[in-house]
Amino acid sequence: MSIAKSSSELLSGIVQRIRNQKLRSKLFLVFLLAAIVPVSYLVLYSYQTVKDQLIRQAESNVGSTMDQVNKNIENTLDNYKQASTLIYLDTQLRNYLLNDYGANDLSFLDAYDYINKTLYKMMAINSNLKSITIYTDNHSLHTDGFFIKYMEDLPQSLKDQTQKAAGNITLFFANRAGAQGNNMTLARSLNYLSLNYPYGILTMEITERELHSLIEKENNNKTIIVADSEGNIITSGLPDRKISNLAQLSEMDSRDTMVFEKSMKYGWKTVVLLPYSELLGPAQRAAQNILYTALACIAAAIVLIYATSKFMTKRIEILLQQIRKVERGSFDLTFRPMGHDEIGQLSFALNKMASKMTGLIQDIYRQELAKNEAEMSSLQAQINPHFLYNTLASISALALKNNNPQVHRMADDLARFYRISLNKGKKSITIEREIKLTEHYLSIQQTRFRNLFKVHSCLDESLYPYTTLKLILQPFIENCINHAIWDDESCLNIVLKLESEGDDIVFSVIDDGMGIPEAVCRELNQGLDEQQGFGIFNVNKRIQLAFGAKYGVKIYSRLGIGTSVKIRFPKTSLFV
């Protein structure tokens, strides 16, 4: 969490520092990035493209090389297999090997003579053969230590592999390191064709040098390895001859070398190691040339970018100097035309704005003089409300003197109504004073209409300290009296409610009068305007202007049942 916070703070600091730099520095940085990023991408793309092409070409070439090497090795092994087949099918040789020779039987000399001639001829035809040996269990045929040996002299592992092959050729790599390199033994079980009964094992030994000669010409810029099915290396172009198994190659860094592998039909496999340094040398040289060219282009771009950013910001600096003159209160701007581009249009607009501001200042000065004169007139007009209060008080006193309590009560209520409604010019009053104002109005109307309506109150007095706009109840009570009474003999009931709904205060004015048609009620709620009732429109508009569009007046009515008006405004104690 702390790392993320520190990273965010570091990033914010960098952004803030860049934001505070001069426009010339920002333009220089942006143009520099716009030059460096595409060039860098071009260098990387060119290098990657050449690299991918070289890798695909190398894969194709190495695949062809491996196919050729495998074919050469398989052909060589096939030749030896054919030679072993000639011996395998030699019936005379089999008879000599199976014959039981007595102590004084000299026919074994004929056997030696035939075996020697046959095997010498085979070695003459295949000059790369180091030796040919037949291992037999027939101890009556004496061993000569070269062409004929006893089965006990054959390594058990080779014997097991050969017998398991059941007459097929067995490739046995002994992994013996000699003066002339490793030797490889090809073995084949000799048996009756019909009975599959082994009467001997034929071995042919060849040197690793013969196989190495097949891959030697292909080791240019790469390393070719021939291994058996268990990963033992038979021959290779590795400089380190101590590596004897492919498992030891896993320690090599695969990021430096590409490795290709392909199997042969005898279970062997060919592995090719191709160093990336040899493969990607041309790509790296091409990338270096592109990079040097790109650096030269970037250096030229830096000079051009600096000159361009300086040229572009020079006029902005001049414009900023003129704006600071306006900031200090001087509107006498003098600078030469800057053309018709955006900066030129800004300079023209600034000059025009300075001229207008000079005119506006003069207009404001004249308006201030007119305002002072109006305030003097307003002070004189303050006498009129006091004159009205005093006149109503005089009427009330005169009515009381002449024993007319109704005139006295109406004059007194009217005086109190106007005193509260004028409210010293303020738009808002406390809810308690708004209810008092409504009560004075109701008292006047009850005197006028006598028993035509009754008022019932359900008021939450805890809401009295909050403020509201003045005269928001009187228009709706007036509507009830003027429009809801439909029978002079029936008494209209008016319910006045004050309640809290969350953070809002709701006044409700409810009557059981004649009601409003549904279409008219819907139009009233959809858009209260002056044509549908100035008083309703005035209250709704004043509430929305003071508190927001979600507040105001909502009307509910059923024809013949009555009407309910809800006036919603927020809880506030501020006076306006």
Side-chain angles (χ1 to χ4, degrees):
M1 191 70 180
S2 59
I3 297 176
K5 184 177 180 181
S6 60
S7 300
S8 177
E9 291 176 353
L10 178 62
L11 182 60
S12 300
I14 294 174
V15 172
Q16 187 65 29
R17 186 172 180 180
I18 294 175
R19 185 179 299 169
N20 294 332
Q21 293 293 319
K22 290 185 176 180
L23 181 60
R24 180 184 300 178
S25 301
K26 293 178 183 177
L27 287 174
F28 181 79
L29 180 61
V30 170
F31 290 158
L32 188 61
L33 289 175
I36 291 177
V37 171
V39 171
S40 301
Y41 175 77
L42 177 62
V43 173
L44 292 175
Y45 176 77
S46 300
Y47 173 74
Q48 191 63 39
T49 302
V50 174
K51 176 182 175 182
D52 293 342
Q53 186 175 358
L54 289 175
I55 289 176
R56 287 194 297 269
Q57 184 177 354
E59 289 176 349
S60 177
N61 294 338
V62 169
S64 300
T65 300
M66 295 175 72
D67 289 338
Q68 187 61 44
V69 169
N70 288 358
K71 184 177 180 181
N72 293 339
I73 293 176
E74 288 173 352
N75 289 339
T76 300
L77 295 178
D78 286 342
N79 291 335
Y80 290 127
K81 182 178 181 180
Q82 291 175 3
S84 68
T85 302
L86 293 177
I87 299 175
Y88 178 83
L89 297 176
D90 193 333
T91 307
Q92 184 64 35
L93 177 63
R94 182 182 64 200
N95 292 333
Y96 281 130
L97 291 173
L98 291 175
N99 189 28
D100 187 15
Y101 302 97
N104 297 319
D105 190 357
L106 297 179
S107 60
F108 71 88
L109 296 177
D110 295 332
Y112 285 153
D113 183 61
Y114 183 82
I115 293 173
N116 289 342
K117 287 180 180 180
T118 301
L119 298 185
Y120 270 126
K121 185 188 297 183
M122 192 66 65
M123 290 182 67
I125 296 173
N126 299 277
S127 58
N128 290 315
L129 279 175
K130 185 178 180 182
S131 65
I132 299 178
T133 306
I134 296 176
Y135 291 87
T136 179
D137 287 325
N138 186 2
H139 288 272
S140 64
L141 179 64
H142 298 288
T143 176
D144 60 0
F146 185 70
F147 287 126
I148 300 174
K149 294 182 180 179
Y150 293 133
M151 197 69 73
E152 292 81 1
D153 299 330
L154 187 65
Q156 187 63 39
S157 57
L158 178 55
K159 185 188 301 183
D160 295 338
Q161 290 184 29
T162 306
Q163 291 176 351
K164 186 177 180 181
N168 294 317
I169 192 168
T170 299
L171 305 176
F172 183 83
F173 179 60
N175 199 23
R176 296 190 301 272
Q180 297 180 350
N182 298 326
N183 295 329
M184 184 186 67
T185 301
L186 283 73
R188 184 168 188 171
S189 176
L190 301 176
N191 55 359
Y192 289 108
L193 296 177
S194 57
L195 300 178
N196 197 22
Y197 177 77
Y199 58 86
I201 293 178
L202 170 68
T203 64
M204 293 184 293
E205 190 173 9
I206 60 175
T207 62
E208 178 258 350
R209 181 61 190 169
E210 180 181 0
L211 296 177
H212 184 74
S213 63
L214 300 176
I215 66 171
E216 191 172 13
K217 295 180 181 180
E218 305 294 341
N219 273 325
N220 187 22
N221 297 330
K222 55 185 172 293
T223 302
I224 300 177
I225 302 172
V226 179
D228 61 13
S229 58
E230 296 179 357
N232 296 315
I233 296 177
I234 299 172
T235 184
S236 72
L238 291 170
D240 187 2
R241 306 293 291 183
K242 294 182 180 179
I243 298 177
S244 59
N245 194 282
L246 293 178
Q248 296 174 265
L249 296 177
S250 61
E251 302 173 1
M252 298 177 60
D253 193 349
S254 60
R255 293 174 298 179
D256 297 333
T257 306
M258 293 180 65
V259 180
F260 302 89
E261 182 177 317
K262 185 167 288 188
S263 299
M264 302 183 211
K265 67 179 181 179
Y266 287 106
W268 291 2
K269 53 188 172 184
T270 306
V271 179
V272 175
L273 307 179
L274 183 60
Y276 276 109
S277 58
E278 295 289 341
L279 176 64
L280 301 181
Q284 292 174 348
R285 288 191 293 271
Q288 287 178 353
N289 294 334
I290 296 175
L291 179 61
Y292 294 148
T293 305
L295 291 176
C297 294
I298 290 174
I302 289 174
V303 176
L304 293 175
I305 289 169
Y306 178 78
T308 303
S309 60
K310 184 176 181 180
F311 171 75
M312 293 179 63
T313 57
K314 184 64 177 178
R315 292 183 297 164
I316 296 177
E317 292 174 353
I318 296 174
L319 194 61
L320 182 60
Q321 292 175 0
Q322 301 302 318
I323 292 174
R324 285 174 177 168
K325 286 180 65 177
V326 175
E327 182 183 8
R328 292 192 294 267
S330 175
F331 301 102
D332 185 15
L333 305 182
T334 55
F335 50 87
R336 60 188 180 184
M338 295 186 177
H340 299 287
D341 61 357
E342 287 81 358
I343 297 176
Q345 293 177 17
L346 279 174
S347 65
F348 176 78
L350 177 64
N351 198 10
K352 192 172 182 179
M353 182 186 68
S355 301
K356 285 188 176 181
M357 289 182 69
T358 303
L360 287 173
I361 290 173
Q362 294 175 356
D363 292 342
I364 290 172
Y365 177 72
R366 289 192 294 268
Q367 290 175 5
E368 284 294 327
L369 292 177
K371 180 180 178 183
N372 291 334
E373 293 176 0
E375 288 179 352
M376 292 296 295
S377 300
S378 177
L379 289 174
Q380 294 176 356
Q382 295 293 328
I383 300 172
N384 294 334
H386 292 287
F387 175 75
L388 177 63
Y389 302 152
N390 293 335
T391 302
L392 290 172
S394 298
I395 294 173
S396 176
L398 186 61
L400 189 62
K401 183 178 179 180
N402 293 323
N403 197 23
N404 194 335
Q406 289 183 341
V407 175
H408 164 70
R409 186 168 60 253
M410 288 184 68
D412 185 63
D413 287 334
L414 185 59
R416 293 176 184 273
F417 178 83
Y418 276 111
R419 186 180 298 276
I420 296 174
S421 64
L422 292 174
N423 196 30
K424 298 180 181 180
K426 294 183 179 180
K427 297 179 182 179
S428 58
I429 58 176
T430 63
I431 292 177
E432 183 178 13
R433 287 175 62 81
E434 172 68 11
I435 292 174
K436 288 289 184 184
L437 179 69
T438 305
E439 289 174 350
H440 290 310
Y441 175 77
L442 285 169
S443 178
I444 294 171
Q445 296 295 347
Q446 283 175 337
T447 303
R448 177 185 174 189
F449 292 100
R450 297 187 180 276
N451 298 323
L452 289 181
F453 69 90
K454 291 182 181 180
V455 179
H456 310 275
S457 299
C458 181
L459 307 173
D460 185 354
E461 296 183 359
S462 65
L463 302 175
Y464 280 8
Y466 292 104
T467 60
T468 180
L469 298 180
K470 64 183 180 182
L471 290 174
I472 63 172
L473 289 175
Q474 182 270 334
F476 299 101
I477 293 175
E478 183 179 358
N479 283 344
C480 292
I481 296 172
N482 293 338
H483 303 293
I485 298 176
W486 58 281
D487 187 357
D488 292 343
E489 297 180 359
S490 299
C491 180
L492 176 71
N493 293 293
I494 300 175
V495 179
L496 180 63
K497 296 178 66 176
L498 172 65
E499 55 189 345
S500 173
E501 292 185 4
D503 293 332
D504 298 340
I505 297 174
V506 178
F507 267 125
S508 299
V509 179
I510 307 169
D511 67 72
D512 58 354
M514 63 186 301
I516 305 172
E518 183 179 353
V520 177
C521 184
R522 184 166 56 251
E523 292 178 1
L524 287 172
N525 285 318
Q526 288 177 351
L528 294 170
D529 55 32
E530 295 178 90
Q531 286 73 25
Q532 296 162 331
F534 178 78
I536 299 174
F537 168 80
N538 181 270
V539 172
N540 185 68
K541 196 67 177 177
R542 286 194 294 133
I543 291 175
Q544 290 184 344
L545 288 174
F547 304 117
K550 70 176 183 177
Y551 300 102
V553 178
K554 200 72 175 177
I555 302 173
Y556 307 90
S557 182
R558 293 284 298 275
L559 194 64
I561 296 177
T563 303
S564 173
V565 177
K566 290 186 178 292
I567 307 168
R568 182 181 298 274
F569 55 92
K571 292 179 180 178
T572 179
S573 300
L574 299 177
F575 287 89
V576 294

